[in-house]
Amino acid sequence: MEECISTLKRLDDMLASLRQELNDLTQNAELATSGSTSARTASDEIDNAKERRSRQPDYTVVQRDLDITKARRLVGARESAVKSVKSLLSKKRMMSASTGTEAEG
C-alpha cells in the first residue's frame, strides 16, 4: 500500500509539472501569435505554484481503508493522464516548431 501511495504522489508531481509546462507553452504560443509583449509576473508564478500545491490530493482515506484496488485504479488513471499530457506537449511542440520555421522562411 505504501508503494502505491508513494507512486501516486510521484505521478501527481510529474503530472503537475507537465501540465504547467503545457500551460507555459500554450501561453507562449498565444503571445507569439498575438504579438503581445506582456509576460507573467513573478507574483503570478508564485500564485500558480501555491494553487498547485493546495490541489494535491489527500490519500489518507485510501491508506487508512487499505483500499489497494482503489489505489491501483488511481495509479492507472494518473499514468494515463501523464501519457495524455505528454502527447499534448509533443503536439504543441511540433506546432510551435513548424510555426517558427514558417516565420523564419
Side-chain angles (χ1 to χ4, degrees):
M1 184 55 137
E2 290 296 322
E3 185 179 332
C4 281
I5 299 298
S6 67
T7 299
L8 278 169
K9 289 179 180 179
R10 182 180 50 80
L11 288 170
D12 285 338
D13 291 342
M14 183 186 307
L15 189 56
S17 174
L18 289 169
R19 285 179 173 161
Q20 183 61 48
E21 186 178 346
L22 180 61
N23 185 38
D24 292 346
L25 196 58
T26 301
Q27 286 183 348
N28 289 342
E30 289 171 359
L31 289 174
T33 57
S34 69
S36 173
T37 57
S38 65
R40 292 190 302 183
T41 63
S43 63
D44 290 340
E45 289 291 334
I46 292 168
D47 290 343
N48 286 340
K50 286 180 183 175
E51 184 179 323
R52 273 182 280 149
R53 267 187 248 118
S54 67
R55 287 190 282 163
Q56 283 290 341
D58 182 14
Y59 298 115
T60 55
V61 173
V62 175
Q63 198 168 11
R64 184 186 65 226
D65 295 343
L66 296 174
D67 194 345
I68 195 76
T69 304
K70 183 174 184 177
R72 286 183 180 153
R73 189 171 60 245
L74 288 171
V75 167
R78 292 305 181 282
E79 289 171 340
S80 178
V82 166
K83 185 177 177 181
S84 295
V85 174
K86 282 182 176 181
S87 175
L88 286 171
L89 268 171
S90 177
K91 289 177 185 177
K92 188 65 84 170
R93 285 184 187 128
M94 286 179 19
M95 286 174 49
S96 294
S98 66
T99 304
T101 306
E102 291 171 6
E104 292 172 6

